[in-house]
Amino acid sequence: MSDKLLVELVEHTAVVTINNPPANTWDLESLSVLKDRIEELNANPEVYSLVLTGSGDKFFSAGADLNMFADGDKGNAREISSLFGQAFEALSCFRGVSIAAMNGYAMGGGLECALACDIRIAEAQISIALPEAKVGLLPCAGGTQRLLSLAGEGWVKRMILCGERLTAEQAHKIGIIEEVVGRGEAKAAAMAMAQKAAQQSPSSVAACKSLIQESRTLLEKGLLRERELFIDLFDTADQSEGVSAFLEKRSPEWKNA
Protein backbone atom coordinates (compact mmCIF):
# COMPACT_ATOMS: atom_id res chain seq x y z
CA MET A 1 0.00 0.00 0.00
CA SER A 2 1.10 3.59 -0.68
CA ASP A 3 0.03 6.68 1.19
CA LYS A 4 0.51 8.76 -1.98
CA LEU A 5 -2.88 7.61 -3.22
CA LEU A 6 -5.66 7.10 -0.69
CA VAL A 7 -8.79 5.08 -1.48
CA GLU A 8 -11.97 5.17 0.59
CA LEU A 9 -15.20 3.39 -0.24
CA VAL A 10 -18.34 5.40 0.51
CA GLU A 11 -21.36 3.22 -0.30
CA HIS A 12 -20.94 2.55 -4.06
CA THR A 13 -18.37 5.30 -4.67
CA ALA A 14 -14.60 4.99 -4.46
CA VAL A 15 -13.03 8.25 -3.29
CA VAL A 16 -9.44 8.41 -4.56
CA THR A 17 -7.24 11.17 -3.12
CA ILE A 18 -3.91 12.22 -4.62
CA ASN A 19 -1.80 12.61 -1.50
CA ASN A 20 1.72 13.70 -2.37
CA PRO A 21 2.22 17.13 -0.73
CA PRO A 22 2.98 19.89 -1.13
CA ALA A 23 1.70 19.90 -4.74
CA ASN A 24 0.27 16.38 -5.19
CA THR A 25 2.75 15.61 -7.98
CA TRP A 26 2.82 12.29 -9.81
CA ASP A 27 5.85 10.00 -9.57
CA LEU A 28 6.61 6.40 -10.50
CA GLU A 29 5.15 5.09 -7.26
CA SER A 30 1.85 6.96 -7.40
CA LEU A 31 1.32 6.23 -11.11
CA SER A 32 1.84 2.50 -10.55
CA VAL A 33 -0.52 2.57 -7.58
CA LEU A 34 -3.21 4.41 -9.57
CA LYS A 35 -3.15 1.73 -12.28
CA ASP A 36 -3.34 -1.06 -9.69
CA ARG A 37 -6.15 0.59 -7.71
CA ILE A 38 -8.27 1.13 -10.81
CA GLU A 39 -7.90 -2.54 -11.70
CA GLU A 40 -8.97 -3.48 -8.17
CA LEU A 41 -11.99 -1.17 -8.29
CA ASN A 42 -13.02 -2.58 -11.67
CA ALA A 43 -13.02 -6.04 -10.09
CA ASN A 44 -15.27 -4.92 -7.23
CA PRO A 45 -18.94 -5.22 -8.32
CA GLU A 46 -20.01 -2.96 -5.44
CA VAL A 47 -18.15 0.04 -6.89
CA TYR A 48 -20.26 2.03 -9.35
CA SER A 49 -18.39 5.31 -9.51
CA LEU A 50 -15.10 7.01 -8.68
CA VAL A 51 -14.39 10.49 -7.33
CA LEU A 52 -10.81 11.72 -7.73
CA THR A 53 -9.56 14.70 -5.74
CA GLY A 54 -6.39 16.18 -4.24
CA SER A 55 -5.33 16.42 -0.61
CA GLY A 56 -5.21 19.89 0.90
CA ASP A 57 -6.90 22.91 -0.61
CA LYS A 58 -4.30 24.40 -2.98
CA PHE A 59 -3.50 21.68 -5.52
CA PHE A 60 -5.58 19.07 -7.24
CA SER A 61 -2.26 18.07 -8.80
CA ALA A 62 0.67 20.06 -10.15
CA GLY A 63 1.53 17.21 -12.53
CA ALA A 64 4.76 15.27 -12.91
CA ASP A 65 7.58 15.61 -10.42
CA LEU A 66 10.19 17.14 -12.75
CA ASN A 67 13.00 15.71 -10.67
CA MET A 68 12.23 12.46 -12.52
CA PHE A 69 13.55 14.07 -15.73
CA ALA A 70 16.52 15.95 -14.27
CA ASP A 71 19.06 13.42 -15.54
CA GLY A 72 17.90 13.82 -19.15
CA ASP A 73 18.03 10.05 -19.64
CA LYS A 74 15.95 9.00 -22.65
CA GLY A 75 15.34 5.46 -21.39
CA ASN A 76 14.11 6.83 -18.10
CA ALA A 77 11.81 9.23 -19.96
CA ARG A 78 10.40 6.35 -22.01
CA GLU A 79 9.60 4.37 -18.85
CA ILE A 80 7.94 7.33 -17.14
CA SER A 81 5.87 8.39 -20.17
CA SER A 82 4.73 4.80 -20.65
CA LEU A 83 3.66 4.60 -17.03
CA PHE A 84 1.75 7.87 -17.33
CA GLY A 85 -0.03 6.42 -20.34
CA GLN A 86 -0.90 3.17 -18.59
CA ALA A 87 -2.14 4.89 -15.44
CA PHE A 88 -4.34 7.47 -17.12
CA GLU A 89 -5.64 5.00 -19.70
CA ALA A 90 -6.68 2.75 -16.82
CA LEU A 91 -8.50 5.72 -15.30
CA SER A 92 -10.14 6.56 -18.62
CA CYS A 93 -11.28 2.94 -19.02
CA PHE A 94 -12.71 2.63 -15.50
CA ARG A 95 -15.99 0.79 -16.12
CA GLY A 96 -18.11 3.16 -14.01
CA VAL A 97 -18.48 6.93 -13.88
CA SER A 98 -15.29 8.82 -12.96
CA ILE A 99 -15.53 12.39 -11.67
CA ALA A 100 -12.60 14.73 -11.05
CA ALA A 101 -13.29 16.97 -8.04
CA MET A 102 -10.77 19.70 -8.85
CA ASN A 103 -10.22 21.39 -5.51
CA GLY A 104 -6.98 23.17 -6.46
CA TYR A 105 -4.62 24.00 -9.28
CA ALA A 106 -4.49 21.38 -12.05
CA MET A 107 -1.26 21.74 -14.01
CA GLY A 108 0.39 19.54 -16.63
CA GLY A 109 -0.09 15.90 -15.69
CA GLY A 110 -2.56 17.02 -13.03
CA LEU A 111 -4.87 18.41 -15.70
CA GLU A 112 -4.24 15.37 -17.90
CA CYS A 113 -5.39 13.19 -15.02
CA ALA A 114 -8.62 15.18 -14.77
CA LEU A 115 -9.06 14.95 -18.55
CA ALA A 116 -8.94 11.15 -18.26
CA CYS A 117 -12.05 11.27 -16.05
CA ASP A 118 -15.57 11.29 -17.50
CA ILE A 119 -16.66 14.51 -15.78
CA ARG A 120 -14.81 17.46 -14.22
CA ILE A 121 -16.14 19.63 -11.38
CA ALA A 122 -13.90 22.55 -10.41
CA GLU A 123 -13.87 25.10 -7.62
CA ALA A 124 -14.12 28.70 -8.78
CA GLN A 125 -10.73 29.79 -7.42
CA ILE A 126 -8.61 27.25 -9.31
CA SER A 127 -6.80 27.56 -12.61
CA ILE A 128 -5.63 24.99 -15.14
CA ALA A 129 -2.67 24.85 -17.53
CA LEU A 130 -0.49 22.62 -19.68
CA PRO A 131 2.88 24.38 -19.21
CA GLU A 132 5.20 21.60 -20.41
CA ALA A 133 6.62 23.61 -23.34
CA LYS A 134 7.96 26.12 -20.81
CA VAL A 135 10.40 23.45 -19.63
CA GLY A 136 11.25 22.00 -23.04
CA LEU A 137 8.74 19.13 -22.83
CA LEU A 138 5.21 18.38 -24.06
CA PRO A 139 2.06 16.95 -22.45
CA CYS A 140 2.66 13.20 -22.79
CA ALA A 141 -0.31 11.80 -20.85
CA GLY A 142 -3.20 12.76 -23.11
CA GLY A 143 -3.00 16.56 -22.98
CA THR A 144 -2.74 17.20 -26.71
CA GLN A 145 -5.36 14.56 -27.49
CA ARG A 146 -8.06 14.55 -24.80
CA LEU A 147 -8.11 18.32 -24.51
CA LEU A 148 -8.84 18.58 -28.23
CA SER A 149 -11.91 16.37 -27.83
CA LEU A 150 -13.34 18.89 -25.33
CA ALA A 151 -12.17 22.33 -26.48
CA GLY A 152 -11.65 23.88 -29.89
CA GLU A 153 -8.29 23.69 -31.64
CA GLY A 154 -7.63 27.38 -31.07
CA TRP A 155 -7.98 27.08 -27.29
CA VAL A 156 -5.83 23.95 -27.24
CA LYS A 157 -3.11 25.83 -29.11
CA ARG A 158 -3.41 28.83 -26.80
CA MET A 159 -2.96 26.60 -23.76
CA ILE A 160 -0.18 24.36 -25.08
CA LEU A 161 1.68 26.53 -27.61
CA CYS A 162 1.28 29.87 -25.83
CA GLY A 163 1.24 28.55 -22.26
CA GLU A 164 -2.04 30.25 -21.32
CA ARG A 165 -3.49 29.50 -17.91
CA LEU A 166 -7.30 29.39 -17.71
CA THR A 167 -9.59 30.14 -14.80
CA ALA A 168 -12.24 27.63 -13.87
CA GLU A 169 -14.90 29.86 -15.41
CA GLN A 170 -13.00 30.15 -18.71
CA ALA A 171 -12.50 26.39 -18.79
CA HIS A 172 -16.20 25.89 -18.16
CA LYS A 173 -17.23 28.21 -20.99
CA ILE A 174 -15.17 26.30 -23.55
CA GLY A 175 -16.20 22.84 -22.38
CA ILE A 176 -13.16 21.56 -20.49
CA ILE A 177 -14.98 21.64 -17.14
CA GLU A 178 -18.62 20.60 -16.76
CA GLU A 179 -19.44 22.44 -13.53
CA VAL A 180 -17.95 25.23 -11.39
CA VAL A 181 -18.69 25.34 -7.66
CA GLY A 182 -17.56 27.43 -4.70
CA ARG A 183 -14.37 27.01 -2.71
CA GLY A 184 -14.34 23.73 -0.78
CA GLU A 185 -17.43 22.38 -2.58
CA ALA A 186 -15.95 20.24 -5.38
CA LYS A 187 -15.82 16.95 -3.49
CA ALA A 188 -19.37 17.27 -2.16
CA ALA A 189 -20.67 18.14 -5.62
CA ALA A 190 -18.81 15.19 -7.13
CA MET A 191 -20.19 12.84 -4.48
CA ALA A 192 -23.72 14.07 -5.19
CA MET A 193 -23.21 13.38 -8.89
CA ALA A 194 -21.78 9.95 -8.09
CA GLN A 195 -24.91 9.18 -6.09
CA LYS A 196 -27.00 10.00 -9.17
CA ALA A 197 -24.86 7.59 -11.17
CA ALA A 198 -25.43 4.94 -8.50
CA GLN A 199 -29.15 5.05 -9.28
CA GLN A 200 -28.43 3.86 -12.80
CA SER A 201 -27.88 0.24 -13.74
CA PRO A 202 -24.11 -0.42 -13.44
CA SER A 203 -24.16 -2.75 -16.42
CA SER A 204 -26.06 -0.19 -18.50
CA VAL A 205 -23.63 2.55 -17.50
CA ALA A 206 -20.65 0.39 -18.47
CA ALA A 207 -22.23 -0.47 -21.84
CA CYS A 208 -23.16 3.16 -22.57
CA LYS A 209 -19.71 4.41 -21.61
CA SER A 210 -18.02 1.89 -23.89
CA LEU A 211 -20.23 3.03 -26.78
CA ILE A 212 -19.57 6.72 -26.13
CA GLN A 213 -15.82 6.07 -26.10
CA GLU A 214 -15.85 3.67 -29.04
CA SER A 215 -15.20 6.48 -31.51
CA ARG A 216 -11.73 7.06 -30.04
CA THR A 217 -9.73 5.11 -32.62
CA LEU A 218 -7.77 8.19 -33.66
CA LEU A 219 -7.24 9.08 -30.01
CA GLU A 220 -5.33 5.85 -29.39
CA LYS A 221 -2.94 6.62 -32.26
CA GLY A 222 -2.57 10.18 -31.01
CA LEU A 223 -1.73 9.07 -27.48
CA LEU A 224 1.02 6.79 -28.77
CA ARG A 225 2.43 9.53 -31.01
CA GLU A 226 2.31 11.96 -28.09
CA ARG A 227 4.60 9.75 -26.01
CA GLU A 228 6.95 9.14 -28.96
CA LEU A 229 7.48 12.87 -29.53
CA PHE A 230 7.89 13.42 -25.79
CA ILE A 231 10.80 10.96 -25.77
CA ASP A 232 12.30 12.57 -28.89
CA LEU A 233 12.57 15.85 -27.01
CA PHE A 234 15.22 14.26 -24.81
CA ASP A 235 17.57 14.51 -27.80
CA THR A 236 17.33 18.32 -27.66
CA ALA A 237 19.31 20.85 -25.65
CA ASP A 238 16.07 22.66 -24.85
CA GLN A 239 14.77 19.75 -22.79
CA SER A 240 17.81 19.71 -20.54
CA GLU A 241 17.85 23.51 -20.23
CA GLY A 242 14.11 23.74 -19.56
CA VAL A 243 14.01 21.20 -16.75
CA SER A 244 17.23 22.52 -15.20
CA ALA A 245 15.94 26.10 -15.28
CA PHE A 246 12.69 25.09 -13.61
CA LEU A 247 14.42 23.18 -10.83
CA GLU A 248 16.93 26.01 -10.36
CA LYS A 249 14.11 28.61 -10.32
CA ARG A 250 15.47 30.69 -13.21
CA SER A 251 14.37 31.62 -16.73
CA PRO A 252 15.49 29.18 -19.44
CA GLU A 253 17.86 30.18 -22.24
CA TRP A 254 16.49 28.40 -25.30
CA LYS A 255 18.88 27.17 -27.99
CA ASN A 256 16.23 25.75 -30.35
CA ALA A 257 18.23 22.57 -30.63
Side-chain angles (χ1 to χ4, degrees):
M1 295 293 288
S2 170
D3 59 2
K4 292 183 178 180
L5 203 71
L6 308 177
V7 180
E8 178 188 8
L9 297 182
V10 181
E11 296 182 349
H12 294 294
T13 300
V15 181
V16 180
T17 303
I18 309 165
N19 183 47
N20 192 19
N24 293 330
T25 50
W26 290 101
D27 57 23
L28 292 175
E29 178 185 344
S30 56
L31 289 168
S32 296
V33 172
L34 176 63
K35 179 177 179 289
D36 292 343
R37 295 296 171 270
I38 296 297
E39 291 175 353
E40 292 168 5
L41 294 174
N42 276 334
N44 185 345
E46 294 301 312
V47 175
Y48 299 169
S49 55
L50 181 158
V51 168
L52 182 67
T53 193
S55 62
D57 58 5
K58 186 175 182 180
F59 287 97
F60 172 75
S61 170
D65 181 350
L66 284 187
N67 285 294
M68 294 190 294
F69 304 115
D71 61 5
D73 184 83
K74 196 172 180 179
N76 183 45
R78 182 176 286 106
E79 177 187 359
I80 295 168
S81 64
S82 176
L83 195 50
F84 262 106
Q86 293 173 38
F88 291 174
E89 270 302 290
L91 177 59
S92 178
C93 294
F94 171 68
R95 59 171 170 72
V97 179
S98 57
I99 306 167
M102 301 167 71
N103 58 317
Y105 295 115
M107 304 294 167
L111 177 56
E112 290 175 301
C113 180
L115 293 174
C117 292
D118 298 318
I119 299 163
R120 285 150 294 282
I121 298 174
E123 295 179 9
Q125 80 279 3
I126 80 159
S127 57
I128 67 171
L130 289 173
E132 283 85 350
K134 290 184 178 180
V135 296
L137 296 172
L138 61 76
C140 75
T144 67
Q145 304 300 299
R146 292 195 177 96
L147 187 62
L148 190 57
S149 69
L150 298 171
E153 183 175 321
W155 278 105
V156 174
K157 288 178 176 177
R158 285 176 66 166
M159 289 185 67
I160 297 177
L161 306 186
C162 301
E164 285 198 28
R165 180 183 295 197
L166 303 186
T167 66
E169 192 56 45
Q170 286 175 311
H172 179 249
K173 286 181 179 178
I174 62 177
I176 299 174
I177 290 168
E178 280 70 43
E179 184 177 350
V180 178
V181 296
R183 183 185 290 270
E185 297 177 2
K187 183 177 177 181
M191 293 298 291
M193 188 170 289
Q195 288 176 357
K196 291 181 182 179
Q199 296 171 14
Q200 312 279 80
S201 157
S203 54
S204 294
V205 166
C208 290
K209 181 172 175 176
S210 67
L211 287 169
I212 293 168
Q213 297 187 174
E214 203 164 274
S215 62
R216 294 182 170 186
T217 51
L218 286 177
L219 175 66
E220 294 176 5
K221 293 180 179 178
L223 292 172
L224 179 60
R225 183 64 175 150
E226 191 180 61
R227 293 194 291 273
E228 289 174 348
L229 290 180
F230 175 81
I231 295 164
D232 287 347
L233 286 174
F234 281 76
D235 291 326
T236 69
D238 278 355
Q239 178 278 322
S240 177
E241 167 62 12
V243 173
S244 295
F246 177 85
L247 295 175
E248 294 166 11
K249 296 181 169 50
R250 60 176 175 81
S251 297
E253 297 180 10
W254 302 123
K255 303 182 187 306
N256 192 28

